[in-house]
Amino acid sequence: MTTSASVPTEPEGAISSDGTTVTDRLVDANQRYAAAFADPGMDARPVLRVAVVACMDARLDLHAALGLELGDCHTIRNAGGVVTDDVIRSLTISQRALGTRSVVLIHHTGCGLESLTEDFRHDLEMEVGQRPAWAVEAFRDVEQDVRQSMQRVRTSPFLLHTDDVRGFVFDVTTGLLREIDPA
């Protein structure tokens, strides 16, 4: 299997020798994709009526790992897969306007948020002169953070369906999910 990670790249932030950027490469790929694209005739409601909240980590190929196809689920990703106010907003729209009933939360081993602290936010404020309005949401115990995320979903007054909320840790070295007991 060839991935973009196995293809030699230019130094970080550099423009390649032919003058193109990574974004140019993505736009070119989209042109090839669009040339063969056929409207699948789907609507925005996920077929499986599930929303998956996961970390943005590039090592997580959620559709492949969960056996999902286009149109099966809503996927909400952020740093750490943390249930923030914006995740609750997205889940609320997913449930109330688009019919999802289940929520799957996925954190993973070796997450970058395990090595950060709120000092990151303070350092950023010192650098740019403005305090970020958001919390870093760093954590040291991935299982406990999954439990906290499940609790945030289950207790949100905005969500209609909180009886099927399950949390997992994805192992980035084996590809396996490990379910976390909410207790």
Side-chain angles (χ1 to χ4, degrees), residues 18 20-34:
D18 66 358
T20 61
T21 65
V22 171
T23 304
D24 293 329
R25 184 173 129 202
L26 299 176
V27 171
D28 289 345
N30 174 256
Q31 293 297 314
R32 291 187 300 278
Y33 172 79

Side-chain angles (χ1 to χ4, degrees), residues 1-9 25 61:
M1 173 179 169
T2 301
T3 66
S4 60
S6 64
V7 177
T9 60
R25 184 173 129 202
D61 182 349

Side-chain angles (χ1 to χ4, degrees), residues 138-157:
F139 53 87
R140 296 210 188 281
D141 182 337
V142 67
E143 291 185 14
Q144 182 55 34
D145 203 66
V146 171
R147 286 185 195 95
Q148 177 175 297
S149 292
M150 285 189 280
Q151 186 65 15
R152 284 179 176 174
V153 171
R154 288 187 173 128
T155 60
S156 173

Side-chain angles (χ1 to χ4, degrees), residues 26-144:
L26 299 176
V27 171
D28 289 345
N30 174 256
Q31 293 297 314
R32 291 187 300 278
Y33 172 79
F37 184 79
D39 180 359
M42 299 176 181
D43 98 9
R45 295 174 180 272
V47 173
L48 298 179
R49 297 168 60 148
V50 63
V52 178
V53 178
C55 185
M56 66 186 191
D57 192 295
R59 296 172 290 180
L60 278 65
D61 182 349
L62 292 174
H63 276 73
L66 301 174
L68 296 167
E69 300 292 330
L70 181 68
D72 282 348
C73 71
H74 284 158
T75 306
I76 304 161
R77 296 181 80 159
N78 66 22
V82 176
V83 176
T84 61
D85 287 345
D86 193 59
V87 168
I88 294 295
R89 178 188 71 86
S90 294
L91 287 172
T92 301
I93 293 166
S94 178
Q95 286 189 358
R96 290 178 176 265
L98 297 165
T100 60
R101 298 291 181 263
S102 300
V103 178
V104 174
L105 305 169
I106 301 177
H107 285 33
H108 65 91
T109 58
C111 185
L113 282 187
E114 291 177 287
S115 63
L116 291 177
T117 66
E118 287 299 318
D119 287 341
F120 177 86
R121 189 169 174 248
H122 174 75
D123 294 345
L124 190 57
E125 178 183 3
M126 294 296 102
E127 179 184 329
V128 303
Q130 182 177 341
R131 176 178 294 244
W134 40 264
V136 174
E137 297 272 358
F139 53 87
R140 296 210 188 281
D141 182 337
V142 67
E143 291 185 14
Q144 182 55 34

Side-chain angles (χ1 to χ4, degrees), residues 160-183:
L160 296 171
H161 306 285
T162 58
D163 55 323
D164 188 15
V165 177
R166 294 172 65 186
F168 301 86
V169 174
F170 177 84
D171 187 313
V172 297
T173 61
T174 67
L176 289 172
L177 288 176
R178 180 170 38 87
E179 188 157 9
I180 302 303
D181 185 347

